[in-house]
Amino acid sequence: MQGDVVYRQLRDLIVAGRYMPGERLTELSVSAALEVSRTPVREALRRLEGDGLVQGTGRGVVVNALSAERLAHAYEVRAALEALTAELAADRQRAGRVPPADLADLERHALLLEEVTAAGDLDRAVALNREFHRGIAELAGNPIALEALDRLWDRIIVSTRASLTAPDRPETVAGEHRRLLRAIVDGDRTLAGRIAGEHARATSATFN
């Protein structure tokens, strides 16, 4: 149980940017920071290495970032998975299986994301953007796709956080989010999938 808690804490710290790519983590330093023994830290570091978030170096591990080539590949997979989850969400909406309250929450979330982005709070915008897309994946009702996206998002965020800048197309991004939600509300799987895939690929282009 403690191993799971330490794993989640350390993963969250890495994704939040507390530990940046290239930074060395040792069992001793992490156990001191989290005020736990070294055994659950050792287990957590092994799991994080399996997730691709850290890489062994012989003396501890370092936080791992994707190369430019692998980041491009990651975005290709993200585009495919988010197109799939958007299609599935639209299917479930058309079948009457999506609670209206869930769609209303996503719409409010999209508006908050626009406000935070306009205010220049990039770290919070990144977190809200992920939650928005995760909300769509949850509507899809496919836990395997959701799990895969969670792991992929972790690696993408760690790999791109250092190059975060205010988006040069905030209105475009906000419009894509609104059109994606509208397609899901209308139960239009083809349009929802196309918008989601194109949106992820357009985001990838900002890091090339």
Side-chain angles (χ1 to χ4, degrees):
M1 181 65 71
Q2 188 182 32
D4 287 339
V5 171
V6 171
Y7 164 74
R8 288 193 296 271
Q9 287 179 330
L10 188 52
R11 181 193 63 197
D12 290 347
L13 289 171
I14 291 171
V15 174
R18 167 74 178 276
Y19 299 112
M20 295 296 287
E23 186 169 350
R24 184 179 301 278
L25 303 178
T26 65
E27 292 177 13
L28 186 60
S29 64
V30 174
S31 63
L34 299 184
E35 299 181 340
V36 296
S37 69
R38 294 174 64 173
T39 299
V41 171
R42 186 179 308 121
E43 176 187 337
L45 291 174
R46 279 199 300 266
R47 291 176 63 181
L48 290 167
E49 189 166 10
D51 292 341
L53 291 177
V54 302
Q55 181 176 1
T57 62
R59 292 183 57 193
V61 302
V62 295
V63 178
N64 191 33
L66 295 165
S67 67
E69 181 181 12
R70 289 179 66 81
L71 182 61
H73 292 323
Y75 266 104
E76 288 176 358
V77 176
R78 177 191 158 187
L81 283 173
E82 290 193 351
L84 171 65
T85 54
E87 290 170 352
L88 294 175
D91 286 344
R92 295 184 76 231
Q93 165 67 3
R94 191 172 63 251
R97 298 172 59 196
V98 174
D102 290 352
L103 291 173
D105 284 345
L106 270 180
E107 290 173 352
R108 285 192 293 269
H109 202 106
L111 288 173
L112 178 59
L113 174 55
E114 291 179 32
E115 294 170 2
V116 169
T117 301
D121 188 344
L122 298 183
D123 283 336
R124 190 178 179 206
V126 167
L128 287 170
N129 186 58
R130 177 178 183 168
E131 289 173 19
F132 171 79
H133 288 285
R134 193 180 196 281
I136 292 174
E138 288 174 340
L139 294 184
N142 186 317
I144 301 300
L146 179 60
E147 180 182 354
L149 274 170
D150 269 338
R151 290 166 63 93
L152 191 61
W153 267 92
D154 282 348
R155 299 193 69 183
I156 287 173
I157 289 175
V158 169
S159 302
T160 57
R161 181 175 295 280
S163 57
L164 279 182
T165 57
D168 59 2
R169 56 186 196 108
E171 297 83 6
T172 302
V173 171
E176 290 169 356
H177 285 169
R178 287 193 293 267
R179 289 195 299 275
L180 175 55
L181 272 178
R182 174 47 54 191
I184 291 171
V185 169
D186 291 344
D188 189 336
R189 79 175 333 260
T190 301
L191 182 58
R194 184 169 72 247
I195 293 172
E198 290 175 351
H199 175 67
R201 285 188 288 272
T203 303
S204 173
T206 66
F207 295 104
N208 294 335

